[in-house]
Structures are given as structure tokens and as C-alpha cells.
Amino acid sequence: MSSIYYQHPNTWFGDCMPVYAEGAFQLYHQRDTRKPGPFGEPFGWALARTRDFVNYEDLGESLEKGAYDAQDQFIFAGSVFEAKGTYYALYTGYNRDYPDQGKASQVLMIATSTDLVNWTKTDRSLVVPQEGYDKDDWRDPFILWDDEREVFLMILGARLDGDKKLLTGRTVAFISTDLENWEFEGDFWAPDLYTMHEMPDLFKMGEWWYLLTTEYSDKSKTVYRMSRSLSGPWSAPVDDAFDGRSYYAARSASDGEHRYLFGWVATKEDEQDSSPWQWGGTLVVHEVYQRPDGSLGVRIPDTVTGVFSHQKQLLEQPEAVRNADGRAQLTLAEQSGDTFLWETTLSVAEGTRSFALLLAQDEASGDAYEFLFEVGENRLRFDKVPNYPWNRYDNKGLERPCTITPDDKIHIQVVVDGSIATVYANGVALNARIYDVKGQALAIQAIDGEVTVHESVLRHLSQERAETSLEEEVAIA
């Protein structure tokens, strides 16, 4: 189990509907039991509360699933918001048996609450699939108040009726003044890039609006577009994502000062490096920030950094790692532990081909996991090394654009929490799973060039936090 990242015992974290209310982030989410596999048993929305993304209060299933023959046999994603002193949950009622009965499997529904924990459902269809749209792909509503038009704006993921392999995924829109009667406005964003749009999100930061979408037919991750107007047009930044293939279905929420991204890191089948990704996993939270050009970057939340209070300096003075024609390595720690934060500041000499941060290295065999920064290609990749016999890790989609400027210092943070490894560098994040750990060493390698390591620190959990994590693991066992 994870010590920092959130996953309720004996369940797997699904799509998150975050909202900041009552002084805390209220994280409504799905808990999959995997009996016998993903989507085996129906689920509702569970609720976990947090103020720091480290400590979580579990409130169990809050928005309860319906009867087995009800429209909301499963409660798929939606959104929670407050209006006129009442909390509303717009959600997707899904019944996997309805298509065989000629009924729409996915319909939007609504529930209300006064305390965020106990919900009253109306058991009526709020918005059914519109003519020409696939009645079995109509989900994940997100709602906000449009100040300019003075209406509630609701967007959701959809696709046109027909072959599900066609790139007809789109985000559609409705408006309402009373939250009961909704007027269909048609396509909100229809780029013909993906087969389906999931988990849409809209927010404004500064002068820019941001539209988030999760897709599963291109790179299978959360992407975003930006515009100075809520009505578009929407443009793509050079890097239109926040993370890689393993980080899915991310939604955002703000406490009024900072905005955070709530996505789950997928597991792999049978917990094997070479296996395919599965639906559901573990919650990982990124803080979102805005760059001068309006594009978005992510970083580790300060509260997560703060829990790693025990630190050890790994370098007494700067050290160069160089090989003009090959690989050179600097081993910084022989025993990293299973949960840690590794922070390194380094610079790269002009002409250097690439450098790597190695985790869980077995020093005898060289077996390790690596975050490889390909300087000349402006790319960050994750893999297992040595990659022999081919292929030891299914890393398709575990790469990100990442620009490293020669001679400039770059601060890199790596969090390892059980089987999850997360790297942050220059506003770029990349998550991966590491299941077949052979060693405990941490190292930096330079490939065809030179890297100067200026500082390197290994941080571990506070004693109190480590003891709490151990107690939780014993209780689960």
C-alpha cells in the first residue's frame, strides 16, 4: 500500500469529483473492488476529505448506488457544486444491462445535500442522450456558473452515434437558469481528434479559460486547451498535457489560492511491469500553476514535500559526471527505502545527449528503473534498464516533452511511494509503476556528455508519519 498517495484499503481509486467546501477538499470518487476485475461490482461515490493531500478522512460511500435494475446501477462520474445554499451532485447513472433491453445505458441524474455527506436522489433523468449522439457514451457532466450570460453551463463527454472507432468524440453543452430545465446548445468542443471525451473540466486562471478532456484513443491521458473566452476558439499549447499515460481522468479544484489536479495512477495487470494498464489505481495530486505565456505547469504540493522531514545530504560538493562517448554514473545512495523524496539540482553541458535518474538500482547487475532526459530531443521518458530481453516494460505513453537548457540549473524531484514513482521537472510531471524492484540504489548517469550535480538530498517520512503508515498496513493485513 501507499504511504502518501491515497488509496482506500482493498479498493482501487477511480474517477474523482473534487470540490473545495467547508474548509477542505471533498473528494468524491469511485472505489472499485475488482471482483472479479475492474467494473465487476457496482459502485457509488465514496467520499474522502483532506486539507493537505497527506491525511485523509474516510466517510465511506456517500452517494449510494441504485438497485441492480435501476438506471444508476453504477454511479459514473459527474460534478458537485453549491447553489442557493444547497449542494448538488450531477452524475451519470449507468446500467450495464440496459443496452440489451433497448435502453440508454448512460443518463444524467441529480441529487441534493445540505451536509455533503447525505444525498437525496430524484431518480429521474435530468438529461438524456440527444438525437444523433451515442446513447451509451454520454457521461461525466461538469457544471459552472457563467457570469456573462447568467446561466448554469453544463458540459459533458459524448460522441456521435455510429462506429465507436471513428474520431467523433466531443464535449457538448447545456444551459439552465433553474438546474431543472436544460437547453441543449450542441457541441462545445468537437475537434475530431478522439473517439470519446471523458471527465471534462472548465476553469479560469488569470485572463485564460482552460478546458480539460481525458481521451483514450490517442495517448490515453488528460489534455487541455486554452482560450481567452469561454466560447472559444480553443488553442493547444505545445505541451497540451500534465502527465503521461498512467495518469488518467484528472479533474481540478481550487481553494481560492491554489489549484490542484486530482487524477489516478493506473495499476498494471497482475502487478507486472510488462502488462497492460488497468482502469483505476491510486490518487496522485499535482498543483497546477500558470506560466507567463498562459500554458500550465504542475508541481508537487508543498504539503506533500513537507511530510518528508528527515533529510540526508548525498553530496558534500558539486560533482561532474562525464563521458564524451558513452555512459558514466554517479551513485548517490545505496539504500533509498520504499518511500522517499529525492531532490537534485543539476546542470547539463552544451552538446550532452542525455542524462538519467536511476531508481531501485541493483548495483551488481545494473538493473534499475530510469527517468531518461533526452536533452537533444527535448523529451523525458520512463523505462526499465537494461531493456533485455526485449521488452521488459510496457512504457508506451510514458514520455513527456521537457526542455533542458544547457548550463542552466534544473531542480528535479522524484517521489517514490511503494509501486508509484513520480518525477517533477520544469513544470512537467510523469508517473509510472515499478513492480519488479531489484535494488535500492539511486544514481545519476550522463550519456555522451557531461552533467554537473550541484546538490542532491534524500528525504524520508517523519517518524510519526512512518509509524502511522506502518500501523495502517498492519491493520489491512
Side-chain angles (χ1 to χ4, degrees):
M1 289 293 295
S2 301
S3 298
I4 299 299
Y5 297 145
Y6 181 72
Q7 182 180 346
H8 188 68
N10 303 314
T11 65
W12 285 260
F13 194 99
D15 298 349
C16 186
M17 285 61 64
V19 61
Y20 186 80
E22 310 294 335
F25 287 95
Q26 316 283 336
L27 306 184
Y28 297 91
H29 62 283
Q30 300 148 352
R31 290 178 180 171
D32 194 90
T33 60
R34 298 203 172 159
K35 296 178 180 179
F39 301 110
E41 292 182 328
F43 47 67
W45 284 1
L47 174 59
R49 286 176 176 163
T50 184
R51 290 177 171 82
D52 56 12
F53 318 121
V54 172
N55 300 290
Y56 291 85
E57 177 189 3
D58 168 41
L59 290 99
E61 187 167 273
S62 180
L63 182 58
E64 297 180 354
K65 59 184 176 292
Y68 206 79
D69 59 353
Q71 175 68 64
D72 57 354
Q73 177 191 71
F74 289 76
I75 297 188
F76 276 7
S79 61
V80 175
F81 63 98
E82 188 272 335
K84 302 175 182 178
T86 299
Y87 293 105
Y88 292 83
L90 268 67
Y91 64 94
T92 308
Y94 169 71
N95 189 306
R96 62 185 167 196
D97 304 315
Y98 275 14
D100 291 339
Q101 301 172 28
K103 303 178 184 178
S105 66
Q106 299 181 14
V107 170
L108 303 195
M109 306 179 77
I110 193 168
T112 59
S113 174
T114 58
D115 62 6
L116 292 165
V117 178
N118 302 289
W119 293 89
T120 301
K121 296 192 291 186
T122 64
D123 291 326
R124 70 179 179 86
S125 298
L126 182 69
V127 172
V128 299
Q130 300 293 293
E131 187 70 28
Y133 292 85
D134 191 330
K135 63 181 181 298
D136 297 319
D137 280 311
W138 183 261
R139 57 181 176 271
D140 307 347
F142 178 84
I143 191 167
L144 57 74
W145 175 255
D146 182 346
D147 285 321
E148 290 188 8
R149 293 194 291 172
E150 296 187 333
V151 295
F152 291 101
L153 170 65
M154 177 173 64
I155 59 174
L156 62 136
R159 55 165 289 106
L160 296 182
D161 208 359
D163 188 343
K164 290 183 181 294
K165 293 183 180 180
L166 297 179
L167 302 179
T168 63
R170 54 244 296 119
T171 299
V172 300
F174 291 80
I175 58 171
S176 174
T177 56
D178 59 8
L179 297 173
E180 292 190 12
N181 301 290
W182 293 88
E183 177 185 346
F184 184 51
E185 291 202 318
D187 293 339
F188 187 80
W189 185 53
D192 294 329
L193 291 173
Y194 317 115
T195 61
M196 180 62 188
H197 291 191
E198 294 191 306
M199 295 295 285
D201 186 9
L202 265 175
F203 62 86
K204 191 176 186 182
M205 186 179 289
E207 298 180 354
W208 291 94
W209 281 98
Y210 298 92
L211 170 65
L212 277 59
T213 300
T214 298
E215 56 79 24
Y216 51 71
S217 58
D218 180 31
K219 295 181 174 63
S220 197
K221 61 185 180 182
T222 301
V223 297
Y224 75 95
R225 296 296 185 266
M226 47 196 291
S227 174
R228 294 189 183 276
S229 169
L230 187 55
S231 59
W234 300 94
S235 61
V238 173
D239 176 11
D240 70 343
F242 305 95
D243 206 309
R245 163 64 184 92
S246 69
Y247 191 78
Y248 199 76
R251 275 264 181 89
S252 75
S254 173
D255 60 5
E257 295 184 11
H258 303 276
R259 182 165 291 274
Y260 299 93
L261 200 63
F262 301 81
W264 46 263
V265 174
T267 52
K268 284 173 167 275
E269 290 182 6
D270 301 318
E271 296 189 345
Q272 294 185 357
D273 289 341
S274 59
S275 295
W277 298 101
Q278 294 174 295
W279 185 89
T282 308
L283 172 69
V284 172
V285 180
H286 298 315
E287 182 179 349
V288 180
Y289 70 92
Q290 189 179 54
R291 299 186 179 100
D293 65 357
S295 65
L296 299 176
V298 294
R299 57 194 171 207
I300 184 172
D302 288 341
T303 50
V304 176
T305 304
V307 79
F308 293 95
S309 59
H310 286 192
Q311 70 177 53
K312 177 183 178 181
Q313 296 289 339
L314 301 180
L315 273 182
E316 294 183 359
Q317 59 186 15
E319 188 163 345
V321 190
R322 65 172 71 88
N323 190 333
D325 184 20
R327 183 187 301 267
Q329 175 169 312
L330 171 64
T331 300
L332 290 163
E334 295 181 353
Q335 296 293 324
S336 63
D338 298 323
T339 302
F340 59 87
L341 168 60
W342 178 23
E343 297 191 90
T344 296
T345 301
L346 54 80
S347 58
V348 180
E350 185 75 40
T352 298
R353 182 183 179 192
S354 58
F355 68 93
L357 272 64
L358 271 60
L359 314 172
Q361 186 182 52
D362 175 66
E363 294 186 87
S365 65
D367 191 283
Y369 296 92
E370 72 170 6
F371 286 109
L372 178 66
F373 292 79
E374 298 176 305
V375 180
E377 299 179 28
N378 296 321
R379 180 169 59 175
L380 163 64
R381 290 195 300 117
F382 179 85
D383 208 346
K384 190 171 186 178
V385 292
N387 199 356
Y388 177 83
W390 189 278
N391 181 17
R392 300 182 66 209
Y393 197 102
D394 179 8
N395 71 338
K396 182 176 175 59
L398 295 190
E399 61 178 49
R400 301 281 285 110
C402 188
T403 300
I404 305 296
T405 303
D407 299 324
D408 283 356
K409 288 184 179 180
I410 176 174
H411 185 64
I412 302 174
Q413 296 168 298
V414 177
V415 178
V416 172
D417 189 5
S419 67
I420 299 177
T422 315
V423 68
Y424 295 91
N426 281 353
V428 172
L430 182 61
N431 269 284
R433 288 279 180 175
I434 53 174
Y435 289 117
D436 190 21
V437 172
K438 302 296 187 185
Q440 290 270 299
L442 304 178
I444 293 177
Q445 293 182 341
I447 300 98
D448 296 344
E450 179 179 329
V451 174
T452 299
V453 184
H454 300 278
E455 293 180 296
S456 196
V457 178
L458 181 60
R459 302 179 185 270
H460 288 103
L461 299 176
S462 65
Q463 187 64 31
E464 179 182 0
R465 179 67 193 183
E467 290 174 354
T468 300
S469 298
L470 180 60
E471 290 172 0
E472 291 173 351
E473 290 181 9
V474 170
I476 294 168

